[in-house]
Amino acid sequence: KNEVEQSPQNLTAQEGEFITINCSYSVGISALHWLQQHPGGGIVSLFMLSSGKKKHGRLIATINIQEKHSSLHITASHPRDSAVYICAAHFDGLTFGKGTHLIIQP
Amino acid sequence: NAGVMQNPRHLVRRRGQEARLRCSPMKGHSHVYWYRQLPEEGLKFMVYLQKENIIDESGMPKERFSAEFPKEGPSILRIQQVVRGDSAAYFCASSYGNGYEQYFGPGTRLTVT
């Protein structure tokens, strides 16, 4: 069965802190997506990766295929990073994790 | 280059009415995916379409729901005889091909009264 687990479910941190969100999946995948959903509800695709590491600004995503695990890191976090972060594993289609609710306090 | 467009952004229907949700993919994209996000729940896959073909509808409820992506025009998700449990945010995404990155639309928030 294709399952995607995210942790933590909720995370509150202070501005400037280094943030890590984890994602594990149950079976082999072709790719993994990290998405961001703001309080208004829109969804933005942050990364799609199938191996190694990708970086965009203050965001870094890594994936370990052997361990079936991916992490999303945010450096120098800012209140505008507050959102729900969702990982989605590409099996036949996308299977989504339940999301991590991140709040960055000033 | 416009992104994925969805309309309407908000739709209110009474129980028993029909809801039609539209999705125009990004220019150059011929693959469309529909997802549903129920209140306080995660996103769930519904259906994957290419032009004029349904590729995978394993996430679609068996009754009342249908989807199409005609040769010309937007993809349509149609819900007949809506019930309160259909109230949700419906997102579509498009991609260049299977396995390529998906780009999401802003969603249609359906409220059934």
Side-chain angles (χ1 to χ4, degrees), chain B residues 33-101:
Chain B
Y33 312 80
W34 284 95
Y35 301 97
R36 179 166 67 173
Q37 188 174 39
L38 291 166
E40 308 302 321
E41 291 191 20
L43 286 154
K44 294 279 194 298
F45 166 78
M46 297 183 76
V47 63
Y48 163 33
L49 309 105
Q50 277 182 270
K51 285 282 186 184
E52 300 184 276
N53 288 306
I54 296 174
I55 307 301
D56 181 354
E57 56 181 349
S58 57
M60 287 277 269
K62 293 285 186 280
E63 295 175 350
R64 303 187 297 108
F65 285 72
S66 62
E68 62 176 11
F69 189 15
K71 189 176 178 182
E72 301 291 336
S75 175
I76 308 283
L77 179 67
R78 183 180 175 211
I79 311 171
Q80 294 177 288
Q81 299 172 356
V82 296
V83 300
R84 288 220 173 98
D86 297 333
S87 295
Y90 292 83
F91 291 92
C92 83
S94 74
S95 71
Y96 179 73
N98 187 24
Y100 285 77
E101 187 163 7

Side-chain angles (χ1 to χ4, degrees), chain B residues 95-112:
Chain B
S95 71
Y96 179 73
N98 187 24
Y100 285 77
E101 187 163 7
Q102 295 183 24
Y103 294 83
F104 283 78
T108 293
R109 275 145 191 85
L110 172 66
T111 302
V112 179

Side-chain angles (χ1 to χ4, degrees), chain A residues 7 23 62 75 91 94-95:
Chain A
S7 63
C23 177
T62 63
T75 62
F91 301 106
L94 285 183
T95 300

